[in-house]
Amino acid sequence: MPDPHHPTTDGPDPDPGPERTPDPGSGSDPGSARDALRSGAAGARAGAPDTQPAAKPHPQAAPHGARAAGEPAPLPPFLGRPRTGTRWQVLAVVAAGGALGASARYGAGLLWPTEPDAFPWTTLCVNVVGCALIGIFLVVLQEAWQAPPLVRPFVATGVLGGFTTFSTYAAWTWSASSTTARSPPPWATWRSPRWRR
Amino acid sequence: MTWLLVIIGAAVGAPLRYLTDQRVRARYATTFPGGTFLVNVVGSLALGLLTGAALAGAAGSRWQALLGTGLCGALTTYSTFSCETLRLTETHRRRRAAANVAATLLAGLAAAFAGATLGRALWG
């Protein structure tokens, strides 16, 4: 019984059938399918195999106290949620994408190496580029491109999730704060030494 | 060789992040992106441990490539964190968005500091 509060709930072994992306060819109203996607009404897809419109109220009362009238619906699942495919397929594409993204990050570190004490410009740029790309990708996926189902976990969760990193920031902050020598400020390391002379 | 270590680490870290996010979503019906928060904090703790061990001379460059760049780098993510924060602000949950940013930064930094201190104490 899916929780109406949280339609993104995944069982341990999700049935790929009901979560299949609405086929634009067979669907009678592709616009409503897109609206359902946009409003995040995954419950209509996950819970009901017959693609009921998203506006259909849930027949069961909310178990843990109904949502307030003004409160919007729960967050739509927008990252790494498989529309179809088995769990193993999704895990495989996430692993492959993560390996690809991490390799690109490692390659960026080789191309533009930064000193251990210097400001990590490469990590900053990797994260900014990755965030920009995921924003572009998700909007394209939502607005323009009916991508194959495994594309989103591959690109968003795998490649871009593996490309960007949070732990490097945290660990670098510790290293920078724990070094006894006073390291130069970021703007000093940005310019080339010859330019500053 | 180092590339291969990075790839192996990332091929474990990225699915771990995905599975953690799925588990957290399934267990806690909330709009707060707890899965991404959890992987970022745990990854920061692990990379802090590794940094402390590396400074103490206990972890070589291969371990750093496998566990640091590969595993922790792919386990933690910045793009999903920023996207989920943006999604929270778009759905008029600005307090939750601010709480997400503050909690992730503070807990991530605290985890890295704790991990590095622990790593130095263990291997130093």
Side-chain angles (χ1 to χ4, degrees):
Chain A
M1 176 68 216
D3 186 351
H5 276 293
H6 192 250
T8 67
T9 302
D10 231 4
D13 186 17
D15 181 16
E19 290 194 87
R20 198 171 290 277
T21 307
D23 184 8
S26 66
S28 57
D29 187 4
S32 75
R34 181 164 294 178
D35 288 346
L37 264 174
R38 202 177 284 176
S39 65
R45 294 195 312 275
D50 52 346
T51 53
Q52 286 292 323
K56 183 189 174 207
H58 202 280
Q60 302 284 334
H64 306 301
R67 245 193 338 262
E71 193 177 343
L75 276 186
F78 65 100
L79 280 176
R81 285 275 306 162
R83 291 291 181 276
T84 184
T86 67
R87 165 157 287 211
W88 288 110
Q89 281 175 326
V90 177
L91 281 179
V93 297
V94 167
L100 201 64
S103 301
R105 173 163 41 82
Y106 178 64
L110 290 182
L111 275 179
W112 300 287
T114 50
E115 294 296 318
D117 288 341
F119 190 80
W121 287 109
T122 308
T123 309
L124 177 73
C125 291
V126 159
N127 281 344
V128 170
V129 168
C131 289
L133 287 180
I134 204 170
I136 294 169
F137 173 73
L138 290 178
V139 168
V140 165
L141 214 58
Q142 203 171 33
E143 304 284 339
W145 184 32
Q146 289 262 341
L150 288 174
V151 165
R152 188 150 82 171
F154 175 72
V155 176
T157 310
V159 176
L160 296 173
F163 185 56
T164 60
T165 182
F166 183 82
S167 53
T168 311
Y169 265 143
W172 179 85
T173 307
W174 177 81
S175 326
S177 68
S178 67
T179 49
T180 52
R182 189 179 170 83
S183 54
W187 54 88
T189 58
W190 173 252
R191 300 162 182 165
S192 72
R194 198 176 49 179
W195 192 87
R196 285 179 58 76
R197 227 176 277 151
Chain B
M1 181 63 194
T2 314
W3 284 93
L4 193 64
L5 292 173
V6 171
I7 286 173
I8 292 171
V12 175
L16 261 182
R17 167 164 43 83
Y18 172 75
L19 287 176
T20 307
D21 190 52
Q22 295 283 298
R23 288 282 160 188
V24 170
R25 276 178 195 272
R27 182 159 296 197
Y28 302 104
T30 172
T31 54
F32 189 81
T36 308
F37 171 78
L38 187 65
V39 292
N40 278 342
V41 171
V42 170
S44 299
L45 180 77
L47 192 61
L49 264 175
L50 187 72
T51 308
L55 278 180
S61 61
R62 290 189 171 178
W63 284 110
Q64 289 180 44
L66 177 72
L67 299 178
T69 312
L71 183 71
C72 293
L75 179 68
T76 62
T77 179
Y78 208 92
S79 51
T80 310
F81 161 67
S82 63
C83 244
E84 285 170 345
T85 307
L86 176 70
R87 188 57 64 102
L88 281 173
T89 57
E90 276 181 345
T91 51
H92 308 291
R93 292 178 174 90
R94 305 210 167 163
R95 281 187 187 174
R96 289 210 163 198
N100 186 34
V101 172
T104 303
L105 286 181
L106 286 178
L109 284 179
F113 275 61
T117 310
L118 190 65
R120 269 183 137 177
L122 282 177
W123 288 286

